[in-house]
Amino acid sequence: MQSTRQQIISHLQRLGRATVRELGQLLGLTPTGIRQHLTMLERDGLVVAREERGRVGRPTLVYFLTEKAEELFPKLYDELALALLQEVQALQGKEGLHRLLRRVAARLVIPHLERVEGRPLRERVKETVKLMAEQGCLVEWRQEGDAFYIDEFTCPFSRVARQEPAVCALHVETVKMMVGADTRLTQSLLRGQRACTYRVRPS
C-alpha cells in the first residue's frame, strides 16, 4: 500500500476520525490530493465517510476506518490459541485437550447443522464442502464407491497445527458432525501431502 495511504490509516487508527482538512495539515497535502487517496481507500473498503453537521455552515465529511482496515494491523490470534492449547494440555493432559477440542467443534458446528439435517449423505458432504469454502478454505470433494473424499488444500489453523497437531482433531470432528457419518483423516498437509483428505463413509 502506498505510504501516504498507510499514514492516513495509521492516523485514523490513532484518533478514530479525521476530516480532509485535518489530514491535509498532517501530511502536507492539498485537499484535492487527500481526497484522491481517500477515494482509493473507500474503493478498497478501508474507510467510510459520514456527514457531520456543525452549528453553522454546510455538513463536513468525516472519515473513519472500517472493520476491514482493522485486519491490516498485526493480530496475535495464533500465538494466543497455541498458548491456550498448551496450557490446557499441561493442566488436563492430552485426553483433556481432546475433550476440549470436541466441545469446541460442537460449538462451531451447531449454528450450521440446520443446513444438513435430514439430508442424504451426498448432500451433507456437498453442503459441508460449501461451508468450508465460505470460511476461506480451498476445498473439493469426490465420490468413490460408497465413500466420499473431501480434499482440503489449505489449513485454517496452519501456524498452530505445526506446533500443536492436536488441533487437527478439531477440524476432523467438525467435518464428522456436519456429514453425520464415519470420518477419517487419510492424508495431511502436516505430513507433506497435497491436502488434508477426509474419507467419509456411511456409519
Side-chain angles (χ1 to χ4, degrees), residues 10 20 26 30 48 53 61 63 67 72 74 104 123 139-140 142 146 158 168 172 199-200:
S10 296
V20 169
L26 173 73
T30 65
V48 292
R53 188 175 297 278
L61 278 180
Y63 290 85
E67 288 186 11
L72 300 175
V104 171
E123 294 301 313
V139 61
E140 297 175 354
R142 53 197 159 87
D146 66 345
S158 58
C168 297
V172 175
R199 186 193 66 202
V200 178

Side-chain angles (χ1 to χ4, degrees), residues 54-137:
R55 293 182 179 178
V56 295
R58 293 183 298 175
T60 300
L61 278 180
V62 180
Y63 290 85
F64 302 83
L65 290 184
T66 65
E67 288 186 11
K68 183 178 178 181
E70 293 285 342
E71 299 171 7
L72 300 175
F73 295 91
K75 299 292 186 289
L76 299 176
Y77 300 142
D78 290 340
E79 289 86 347
L80 175 61
L82 180 61
L84 289 171
L85 292 174
Q86 291 173 337
E87 192 65 22
V88 169
Q89 182 165 305
L91 291 172
Q92 301 184 24
K94 283 192 176 293
E95 182 53 38
L97 176 58
H98 282 276
R99 281 198 305 271
L100 173 70
L101 291 172
R102 286 193 292 270
R103 290 173 65 91
V104 171
R107 185 180 293 271
L108 294 174
V109 166
I110 285 173
H112 306 288
L113 283 179
E114 62 182 17
R115 296 172 59 162
V116 295
E117 285 178 343
R119 294 194 179 194
L121 182 56
R122 179 185 175 89
E123 294 301 313
R124 292 181 72 114
V125 169
K126 288 174 63 176
E127 196 63 31
T128 299
V129 168
K130 183 178 177 182
L131 175 62
M132 293 166 74
E134 290 170 3
Q135 294 174 339
C137 296

